[in-house]
Amino acid sequence: MPQTIASAVQHELVIKKSRFIACVQPMPDRAGAVKIVAELHAQHPGAAHVCWALLAGGQSAAVDDGEPSGTAGRPMLDVLRHQDLEGVLATVVRYFGGVKLGAGGLVRAYTDSVAQALLTATKIPIIKLRQLRCTAPYAMEGMLRRELDAAGASLDAVEHGDDVRFTFSLPASAADALRARLDEAGHGRIGWPSDVDDEDGDQA
């Protein structure tokens, strides 16, 4: 099961006088990652490189920022993938110490920086949510609310018209069972106008 991390974690390595300042933090998209990287450039004007890797579905990225191609961003991304993470940004600010590390040394430095930071991370599973909509007679509103509460569903909206319209979310793995239970409890009087099937990477 894919996981994200609860909060940002940091670690600093010094290798042959070069400083590698790593941070791994939750990040859902590339726009947010680019903003964070720009802030790091502003905070560290004397740094030689600000390399980063984002693992966020189709928005994933690996940026070497002037380091030899494939020696920074890609190794950092590989660490995130190997730990089965999703929705996370890894950044490493490097201050050059005057001694070249070579391609292999750079790969190890960037890999170790991110891996060491993640040793202190609290990982949490990403639970896919499914959103459903249903309608029910007013007489069944109380029963429906109780069933949703018992199932741990999140009530997103309730509309009162000719009948009561509920929009609610719950883990995708539990959606079909709850729908079947509501059909049985409602004796066929609960309608299902549409399934939203909105799968969010919600953190539990």
Side-chain angles (χ1 to χ4, degrees), residues 2-16:
Q3 304 174 96
T4 187
I5 59 176
S7 58
V9 289
Q10 296 180 319
H11 188 78
E12 181 173 335
L13 285 180
V14 178
I15 302 173
K16 294 183 179 178

Side-chain angles (χ1 to χ4, degrees), residues 34 48 51 53 59 81 125 128 133 140 148 150 156 166 173 189:
V34 169
C51 305
Q59 299 191 55
R81 284 197 173 122
K128 296 294 185 183
R133 291 194 182 112
M140 291 186 174
L148 295 180
D156 302 327
F166 288 86
S173 59
R189 298 176 68 193

Side-chain angles (χ1 to χ4, degrees), residues 144-169:
L144 240 162
R145 286 179 179 272
R146 287 191 298 273
E147 287 286 349
L148 295 180
D149 187 56
S154 170
L155 193 53
D156 302 327
V158 180
E159 302 167 52
H160 294 88
D162 293 336
D163 48 22
V164 187
R165 293 176 175 267
F166 288 86
T167 304
F168 56 95
S169 304

Side-chain angles (χ1 to χ4, degrees), residues 44-103:
H44 298 273
H49 309 279
V50 179
C51 305
W52 57 282
L54 173 69
L55 193 52
Q59 299 191 55
S60 298
V63 177
D64 294 316
D65 191 40
E67 292 282 33
S69 180
T71 63
R74 179 61 59 180
M76 292 162 64
L77 189 65
D78 287 343
V79 174
L80 302 180
R81 284 197 173 122
H82 288 156
Q83 298 208 22
D84 202 18
L85 294 171
E86 179 68 28
V88 290
L89 168 67
T91 57
V92 176
V93 177
R94 182 190 181 193
Y95 283 87
F96 183 52
V99 180
K100 292 188 175 182
L101 302 182

Side-chain angles (χ1 to χ4, degrees), residues 15-35:
I15 302 173
K16 294 183 179 178
K17 299 182 181 179
S18 279
R19 290 174 63 206
F20 295 84
I21 306 166
C23 178
V24 186
Q25 60 194 300
M27 183 59 60
D29 54 43
R30 190 177 296 202
V34 169
K35 182 180 177 184

